[in-house]
Amino acid sequence: WGETIQLSLVARRWDDPALPADFRSARAALSTTAPNHTHALDEQVSAGYLLLSDVYAQPALILRVTMPRDIVQQGRLSQTVLATTLGISGIAAFVLAMWGLERLIIGRLTRLARQIRRIGEQGTTAQRVAITGNDELGTLEREINRMLEAIPASEERFRALVEHSNDLILILDRDATIRYATPSAQTILGYTPE
């Protein structure tokens, strides 16, 4: 109630031959049955037109009131803020997801691969991989350790089977040098492999 609104008010004769373009388009939309019309003049200003008739009910004047399109500008500003916020949030979520993926999965898998490679290069099954959690990767680490623990017993069973076999079993390297021959080689071949 206590606010004063200052709007631009312009009146033009209905039959003025020098009507500006916006008045001409409003005149085409106005009639005695539809005496008002609104449209945007540009990005910042809206205009409302009112047809005033004379005492004989004939079109006499066109009144134009213009006002700033604050709501449109506010909406565009809100869209910009929303798009910027969503963009920044999306980037932050991506960075956080990549950091979590690296820390929780990729880094642990890389460490596990290094530990397995080191055990393989050293040729010993006495070492174990570190268990780093109670999730799926932790289960994998425990299973790898269980397999490493089972290798010596499996090797013993294989060695006992081979050494007590009546068959001739030879292990050759790439240049066909005998690396291992079963004790039965002496019985079958008649000499001791050296």
Side-chain angles (χ1 to χ4, degrees):
W1 293 94
E3 294 182 36
T4 302
I5 300 175
Q6 296 181 351
L7 300 174
S8 168
L9 178 64
V10 177
R12 295 288 184 143
R13 288 179 45 93
W14 176 265
D15 57 358
D16 184 355
L19 278 178
D22 66 308
F23 275 89
R24 283 195 307 271
S25 66
R27 182 171 60 185
L30 293 171
S31 68
T32 53
T33 57
N36 55 38
H37 172 69
T38 59
H39 75 271
L41 292 178
D42 57 29
E43 293 289 320
Q44 284 81 28
V45 180
S46 287
Y49 301 88
L50 177 66
L51 171 63
L52 296 177
S53 299
D54 62 14
V55 291
Y56 301 108
Q58 295 300 314
L61 292 174
I62 301 174
L63 292 179
R64 180 184 73 189
V65 176
T66 57
M67 65 182 301
R69 296 178 68 188
D70 293 334
I71 193 81
V72 172
Q73 294 169 3
Q74 186 74 26
R76 289 207 174 118
L77 177 63
S78 296
Q79 286 177 334
T80 302
V81 169
L82 178 65
T84 303
T85 303
L86 286 175
I88 291 170
S89 298
I91 291 169
F94 176 75
V95 168
L96 185 63
M98 293 308 292
W99 174 79
L101 187 66
E102 172 64 32
R103 181 161 164 43
L104 298 176
I105 298 173
I106 296 173
R108 288 174 61 196
L109 281 174
T110 302
R111 284 189 294 278
L112 178 62
R114 271 196 307 262
Q115 291 176 34
I116 292 171
R117 190 177 314 111
R118 187 182 64 241
I119 290 170
E121 288 169 352
Q122 293 175 354
T124 177
T125 59
Q127 292 185 357
R128 301 292 179 261
V129 297
I131 297 176
T132 59
N134 288 324
D135 56 1
E136 290 81 1
L137 287 176
T139 301
L140 177 63
E141 293 160 345
R142 282 188 286 284
E143 288 301 311
I144 290 171
N145 284 341
R146 190 180 62 73
M147 285 185 348
L148 288 171
E149 290 169 2
I151 289 174
S154 178
E155 286 177 343
E156 270 309 306
R157 279 194 303 275
F158 179 72
R159 184 173 288 113
L161 180 69
V162 168
E163 287 179 357
H164 294 94
S165 172
N166 291 330
D167 296 328
L168 174 63
I169 300 173
L170 301 173
I171 298 175
L172 307 173
D173 61 12
R174 289 181 189 219
D175 61 353
T177 304
I178 297 174
R179 306 299 291 169
Y180 176 80
T182 55
S184 62
Q186 182 176 4
T187 309
I188 295 170
L189 299 175
Y191 66 92
T192 305
E194 296 178 4

